[in-house]
Amino acid sequence: MVFNSLTFVVFFAGVLALHSLPLPWTVRKVNLLVASYLFYAAWNPPFVILLWISTVVDWWAAKKLVSVQGAHARRAWMLLSVVANLGMLAYFKYGGFLAQNFAVLVASLGVAWQPPELDIVLPVGISFYTFATMSYTLDVYLRRAAPARNVLDYALFVTFFPHLVAGPILRPTELVPQFESPRRADANQLCFGLALMTLGLFQKIVLADGFLAAPVEKVYDGSQIPGILDAWIATLAFGGQIFCDFAGYSTTAIGAAMCLGFAMPDNFRFPYAAIGFSDFWRRWHITLSAWLRDYLYIPLGGSWHGPARTYMALLATMLLGGLWHGASWTFVVWGGLHGSYLAVERFLRARYANLEPSRAQLFALGVLTFLLVHVAWVFFRAHTFGGAWRVLAGMAAANAGAVPILPAIEIVTTVLIVAGIVAAHALMRTRTLEAALAAVPAPVLSGSWALLALAIVIEQGSGNAFIYFQF
């Protein structure tokens, strides 16, 4: 079940109505839990079993981490949780990838081995809920959090449908305490939550799918060789598409949770206004950035053991972050590029620590950040290295025999939409969405909301699944 479907509208209306009834809080939580299982089962019912396995293993591991004595026993229970979660993730997401690369490795040693055909279906959202459940046992192991008081609250944390399949990646401390006392949205929360859902669905259905998907697919999935204009327009379109798609999902999820009386953290904060790559990752997929920082970068040494160790930690973290996105070497290269960007930025900041950049220099750094982020997007979007080199060569005006691919209307539309996204991010760079909306007169806000809703209705049916469902 996806947010951009009529099925979800009916489902959510039923959940909201049931949650608003004057029932005991435990009953209302059970209703939310059952609804969340139904939400996930609507895609593929047998994979609910994976949610149960993660829930049971991590619940008991966390309980034992508190009750057992001795470092070895605690480490054993922590490893049980990590191995169980990463084991399922490795099999379902990376099983075929690992088998194919092992075959290439042994072939280079002169051994002919053909991997078996693995018809593995990737459970939607497995990367997201695996990281969420791992953070629970890791935080208990590191004594940064206490276990949930009851299994119902923990099970609801794992399966709470707004964040289940594409984030935000929540920590138990952010959501479990909210389940301890009755929650119901007041009028302001309900209105703001519905507004966020409308904005998120507009980003996804109208912008990402209705306007930006077509030029991306024609260039990246087509067989024609792109010239400089087509390559750059398609890549800029993908930058806008993936933002509107993923930020649209996160905004919708946060709005849905707010309509039920729950708060979830921001996952995007106007990333295309970033000045530098550390600033970009403080604004893009914020909950994943924080997870990678706390559970990979810092344990690998962080910035505490000298520059060389810091650069290695940055590169390793981003390489693994790239691999988290998909079982393909193109994702690893995307992560490696961002790791390199971060390492070079850190070196230059240390080298020129006393330099105070002017406004013109800050603007130039922002433009450079935007362009290099989009160069990396090429590897994220392309299915093969050949496809990536073809687009990059086009962006560098190095494709001999390139022919026009995109019609003028798609070029103009893409430029206008991407320019609008960048301008909105620049204007909102130091502001919050809540503060900006509070400053808008009520009639203007209501009219804008109605226009967004009308655009969603007109475009409904043309949408695709959210891009991040594949991760």
Side-chain angles (χ1 to χ4, degrees):
M1 191 185 305
V2 293
F3 288 165
N4 54 319
S5 68
L6 182 60
T7 304
F8 176 76
V9 173
V10 175
F11 165 84
F12 184 69
V15 171
L16 187 59
L18 194 60
H19 187 69
S20 302
L21 294 177
L23 300 171
W25 180 229
T26 300
V27 174
R28 289 162 60 198
K29 287 193 291 186
V30 170
N31 290 338
L32 286 176
L33 180 63
V34 172
S36 297
Y37 284 133
L38 291 174
F39 174 84
Y40 195 76
W43 171 73
N44 197 324
F47 283 123
V48 172
I49 295 171
L50 299 181
L51 292 175
W52 294 341
I53 293 173
S54 290
T55 301
V56 171
V57 168
D58 292 330
W59 167 257
W60 282 108
K63 295 282 285 185
K64 291 295 184 181
L65 284 170
V66 173
S67 62
V68 299
Q69 301 296 323
H72 293 295
R74 297 186 77 251
R75 189 176 297 112
W77 282 104
M78 180 271 291
L79 288 174
L80 171 65
S81 168
V82 171
V83 170
N85 283 289
L86 290 184
M88 289 190 295
L89 184 63
Y91 173 76
F92 285 102
K93 189 167 184 176
Y94 304 105
F97 176 73
L98 293 173
Q100 292 168 6
N101 282 275
F102 181 74
V104 172
L105 176 63
V106 298
S108 68
L109 301 175
V111 178
W113 178 75
Q114 184 65 31
E117 291 292 333
L118 298 176
D119 188 18
I120 301 174
V121 178
L122 178 65
V124 65
I126 189 171
S127 297
F128 290 90
Y129 67 72
T130 295
F131 271 25
T133 57
M134 281 178 58
S135 69
Y136 175 67
T137 46
L138 289 172
D139 281 350
V140 173
Y141 174 74
L142 295 170
R143 295 187 170 90
R144 296 196 294 225
R149 295 184 180 181
N150 60 75
V151 69
L152 174 58
D153 287 358
Y154 179 66
L156 187 53
F157 157 75
V158 174
T159 60
F160 189 49
F161 71 87
H163 79 95
L164 177 58
V165 294
I169 302 173
L170 299 183
R171 310 291 177 88
T173 52
E174 294 173 315
L175 193 55
V176 171
Q178 297 186 56
F179 296 141
E180 294 178 358
S181 57
R183 294 262 174 168
R184 184 182 286 113
D186 58 28
N188 288 333
Q189 288 176 309
L190 183 60
C191 288
F192 191 59
L194 291 173
L196 288 178
M197 294 181 71
T198 305
L199 176 60
L201 292 174
F202 174 82
Q203 288 178 291
K204 164 59 179 172
I205 296 172
V206 179
L207 297 182
D209 292 342
F211 289 102
L212 297 174
V216 176
E217 292 168 359
K218 288 177 181 176
V219 172
Y220 277 86
D221 298 336
S223 59
Q224 294 176 292
I225 298 175
I228 184 170
L229 180 61
D230 287 331
W232 271 107
I233 289 297
T235 301
L236 291 171
F238 179 69
Q241 180 194 15
I242 195 168
F243 168 76
C244 290
D245 186 284
F246 193 24
Y249 182 95
S250 295
T251 303
T252 306
I254 292 168
M258 187 174 294
C259 288
L260 296 168
F262 301 98
M264 296 203 303
D266 289 341
N267 211 21
F268 290 85
R269 198 169 293 132
F270 311 106
Y272 288 144
I275 300 175
F277 300 98
S278 56
D279 189 26
F280 177 80
W281 282 102
R282 284 192 292 266
R283 296 170 177 274
W284 179 277
H285 204 170
I286 298 168
T287 56
L288 174 64
S289 300
W291 201 101
L292 293 173
R293 179 198 65 208
D294 293 345
Y295 302 108
L296 274 178
Y297 175 68
I298 292 176
L300 287 172
S303 56
W304 302 99
H305 301 284
R309 181 77 171 269
T310 298
Y311 299 145
M312 290 297 294
L314 280 173
L315 284 170
T317 298
M318 294 310 297
L319 285 169
L320 290 171
L323 189 61
W324 176 87
H325 281 84
S328 170
W329 289 110
T330 54
F331 287 114
V332 176
V333 170
W334 172 81
L337 281 173
H338 273 280
S340 301
Y341 294 162
L342 290 165
V344 171
E345 178 186 77
R346 190 175 186 88
F347 172 79
L348 293 176
R349 284 183 183 276
R351 181 73 178 271
Y352 301 102
N354 297 323
L355 179 65
E356 289 290 336
S358 65
R359 295 182 65 178
Q361 289 171 327
L362 288 174
F363 177 79
L365 286 172
V367 172
L368 180 62
T369 302
F370 180 80
L371 294 177
L372 290 179
V373 163
H374 280 74
V375 169
W377 280 141
V378 174
F379 291 95
F380 195 97
R381 177 57 177 82
H383 299 301
T384 64
F385 283 114
W389 300 134
R390 183 166 57 88
V391 174
L392 286 172
M395 293 166 70
N399 273 340
V403 296
I405 299 174
L406 301 177
I409 186 63
E410 289 186 359
I411 293 173
V412 172
T413 301
T414 298
V415 169
L416 290 175
I417 292 174
V418 172
I421 292 171
V422 174
H425 285 210
L427 290 171
M428 295 294 294
R429 175 179 162 77
T430 58
R431 305 178 70 189
T432 64
L433 182 60
E434 293 86 345
L437 292 178
V440 178
V444 175
L445 196 59
S446 299
S448 301
W449 187 357
L451 289 174
L452 294 182
L454 178 61
I456 292 169
V457 172
I458 293 172
E459 287 290 329
Q460 186 63 39
S462 63
N464 303 310
F466 287 88
I467 293 174
Y468 266 67
F469 278 10
Q470 64 185 294
F471 308 135

